[in-house]
Amino acid sequence: QESYGEGLFTTVSNLASEADEAFRVSPVGVKYMPVDYDVEEVRAKIQRVMSMNSKIIFLVFTPDQGAQFWPVASEEGLLSTSYQIVGSEALPLSTGPEYLPLGYMWFSPVSRGELFAGFDTMWKSMSADDVVGASASTYYGLDKFKVSLQNGSVAPPTQAMFESTDTLDLEAPFLMDALYTFVVA
């Protein structure tokens, strides 16, 4: 189990409880295994889920866990038409396209609370140079990163990124506080 999945579970449980439907939400936790993925533990958890006779199953994993989960779930029959599988944004189609069942759904959290308008204004007033230009590079020590921005898995910021918050990844607004803190720092 890890804090992200537990946080989403707590939110869903609280909402179900507020609607007097708490009995509809039953957790089956799988420990976080970044090293030495225990297939037999996962298999036992999948079998437990299947024995509960639930028809809708929410999967909340990080991508590294999801990629290892799909083959086991497929072997056990969880990915059949008997279940509606709904994954978190960390489990997009790319984490196991060859295993995903017909009708697989996933959601992506988006937060545009009361402070988002200010963030939107600030974001559009910035330029790529503010984040990766010469002075920013010196100030933030970007040249000291273990992996350079040019060699990273994510493309370096471009001017187009700052033209609209609509072009940001759907999850990025959810991370508004992190972006805001970095930019203000």
Side-chain angles (χ1 to χ4, degrees):
Q1 294 156 331
E2 42 80 38
S3 60
Y4 176 71
E6 288 179 21
L8 281 174
F9 168 74
T10 299
T11 298
V12 170
S13 292
N14 289 343
L15 290 170
S17 183
E18 289 171 13
D20 293 327
E21 300 281 338
F23 65 92
R24 294 185 181 274
V25 180
S26 301
V28 176
V30 177
K31 72 180 177 184
Y32 181 64
M33 297 177 272
V35 181
D36 298 325
Y37 195 78
D38 187 344
V39 170
E40 293 312 310
E41 177 180 333
V42 172
R43 191 179 311 283
K45 299 292 178 130
I46 290 170
Q47 290 169 355
R48 180 171 168 208
V49 165
M50 293 173 72
S51 73
M52 296 167 74
N53 293 320
S54 296
K55 298 299 176 197
I56 300 174
I57 300 169
F58 284 87
L59 299 177
V60 185
F61 294 129
T62 54
D64 63 320
Q65 301 299 290
Q68 298 178 84
F69 175 84
W70 294 125
V72 183
S74 180
E75 290 171 14
E76 291 301 314
L78 182 65
L79 305 182
S80 73
T81 56
S82 298
Y83 306 97
Q84 174 61 60
I85 307 293
V86 181
S88 69
E89 87 289 348
L91 295 172
L93 302 177
S94 61
T95 62
E98 66 275 19
Y99 297 105
L100 299 181
L102 181 65
Y104 173 71
M105 299 168 63
W106 62 283
F107 60 89
S108 187
V110 175
S111 175
R112 292 181 184 246
E114 61 186 57
L115 298 178
F116 191 81
F119 171 75
D120 183 68
T121 300
M122 179 194 69
W123 185 260
K124 290 189 267 184
S125 72
M126 294 175 54
S127 70
D129 196 54
D130 294 330
V131 180
V132 292
S135 62
S137 183
T138 300
Y139 183 79
Y140 295 117
L142 299 181
D143 60 329
K144 296 177 184 169
F145 283 7
K146 191 173 190 176
V147 176
S148 71
L149 288 176
Q150 289 71 27
N151 293 327
S153 60
V154 177
T158 64
Q159 188 54 43
M161 292 173 66
F162 295 96
E163 293 173 4
S164 169
T165 53
D166 294 336
T167 61
L168 295 175
D169 181 6
L170 289 175
E171 187 179 1
F174 184 66
L175 302 174
M176 184 196 86
D177 290 343
L179 287 168
Y180 184 81
T181 300
F182 176 77
V183 170
V184 170

